[in-house]
Amino acid sequence: MAKADISLKKARRAGANSFSLYNLSEEQMADLRDNLAAAGLVQTALRNRSFQLYYQPVVDAKTMESKFYECLLRMFDESGELLAVGKFLPIAEKMGLIRSIDRFVQDAAIEELIEIPKAQLALNISSLSTTDPSWLRALTAKVKKHGKIAQRLLVEITETTALHDMRETAKFIAALKEMGCRVALDDFSAGYASFRHLQELSVDIVKIDGSFVKSVGENTNS
């Protein structure tokens, strides 16, 4: 499937009514080998639970109090070195492993919410999981079993995910809110979203893309 995807992208770049035979250059072969090796590390990490969640506080700008913590996924390689998410997540998406990672994040976050009754956590999920009934079923089962943990959980979806299929995203958000979770729209204004989309999606929190706010204190345009 990965090879077919490579051919498809080459054909699209060539324009309409064209095709592409799968024939990689030496450099592309090296990239593919690296991707397969990284995918193997991800599969091993899923089996051995070598992933770990780090927790980044989201702070009230006036009181400086932590309102909730965002779950950040990290992975350890075979030598025990910590890998940044950019090193493995894009490859996991490309190699079809992202749903398994989303389930791990859900399980780990729920375990933390059960263990620490006052914890409030936010977790990011991929576009595939927003249209994956099994992810939502698993969360629903855990919420039914453990009472009010949904009220302490914030699910983040990106703007590009929301725009990919507005109807399905709206249904997904409605299901989350019905069980008591809050929903955030991440990277807002990085793509093509408008305020009209916010009305349709009915999210609780809007996270404006960092490129718009990083210089807000110095730049009047920002």
Side-chain angles (χ1 to χ4, degrees):
M1 292 302 292
K3 292 174 181 179
D5 188 50
I6 290 167
S7 293
L8 178 62
K9 286 174 181 172
K10 286 172 67 179
R12 281 176 173 158
R13 284 197 296 270
N17 300 320
S18 60
F19 65 91
S20 170
L21 296 175
Y22 176 76
N23 184 21
L24 292 186
S25 66
E26 193 58 42
E27 183 181 356
Q28 289 171 318
M29 283 296 293
D31 285 343
L32 185 60
R33 282 193 293 269
D34 289 344
N35 286 350
L36 290 171
L41 281 177
V42 170
Q43 288 173 317
T44 301
L46 285 166
R47 282 196 302 271
N48 300 340
R49 294 182 69 84
S50 304
F51 286 114
Q52 190 167 327
L53 292 185
Y54 280 40
Y55 302 96
Q56 175 174 277
V58 177
V59 178
D60 186 300
K62 292 181 179 178
T63 66
M64 300 306 293
E65 293 178 354
S66 298
K67 305 301 287 185
F68 58 88
Y69 289 82
E70 185 172 356
C71 300
L72 305 177
L73 185 68
R74 298 293 182 264
M75 187 179 89
F76 294 94
D77 65 15
E78 292 167 320
S79 63
E81 289 291 313
L82 191 65
L83 297 177
V85 70
K87 293 280 188 181
F88 64 88
L89 203 59
I91 293 168
E93 288 179 334
K94 189 185 295 184
M95 306 304 282
L97 297 168
I98 196 66
R99 281 193 178 97
S100 298
I101 290 177
D102 281 346
R103 282 296 297 272
F104 171 86
V105 172
Q106 182 195 117
D107 292 344
I110 295 297
E111 285 174 14
E112 195 77 4
L113 289 171
I114 294 168
E115 191 173 327
I116 306 174
K118 290 186 178 180
Q120 298 202 43
L121 300 179
L123 60 86
N124 290 273
I125 62 168
S126 69
S127 58
L128 289 175
S129 288
T130 61
T131 54
D132 181 5
S134 66
W135 190 93
L136 197 57
R137 279 198 303 269
L139 180 62
T140 304
K142 293 182 179 77
V143 167
K144 285 182 178 177
K145 186 176 180 181
H146 297 288
K148 297 181 179 180
I149 58 170
Q151 297 169 10
R152 297 184 285 121
L153 181 63
L154 174 70
V155 179
E156 297 188 14
I157 58 174
T158 63
E159 178 191 271
T160 48
T161 295
L163 293 181
H164 181 68
D165 190 333
M166 286 289 291
R167 182 180 294 179
E168 283 301 312
T169 303
K171 284 169 57 180
F172 178 74
I173 290 173
L176 288 171
K177 295 187 74 169
E178 188 177 342
M179 72 174 79
C181 299
R182 290 183 297 161
V183 182
L185 187 64
D186 201 3
D187 297 337
F188 181 72
S189 65
Y192 303 100
S194 69
F195 291 105
R196 180 178 61 81
H197 293 126
L198 290 182
Q199 287 182 310
E200 293 179 34
L201 294 174
S202 186
V203 296
D204 301 286
I205 293 176
V206 176
K207 298 179 74 177
I208 301 171
D209 186 66
S211 61
F212 288 89
V213 296
K214 64 182 178 183
S215 59
V216 75
E218 301 84 36
N219 187 317
T220 53
N221 288 336
S222 295

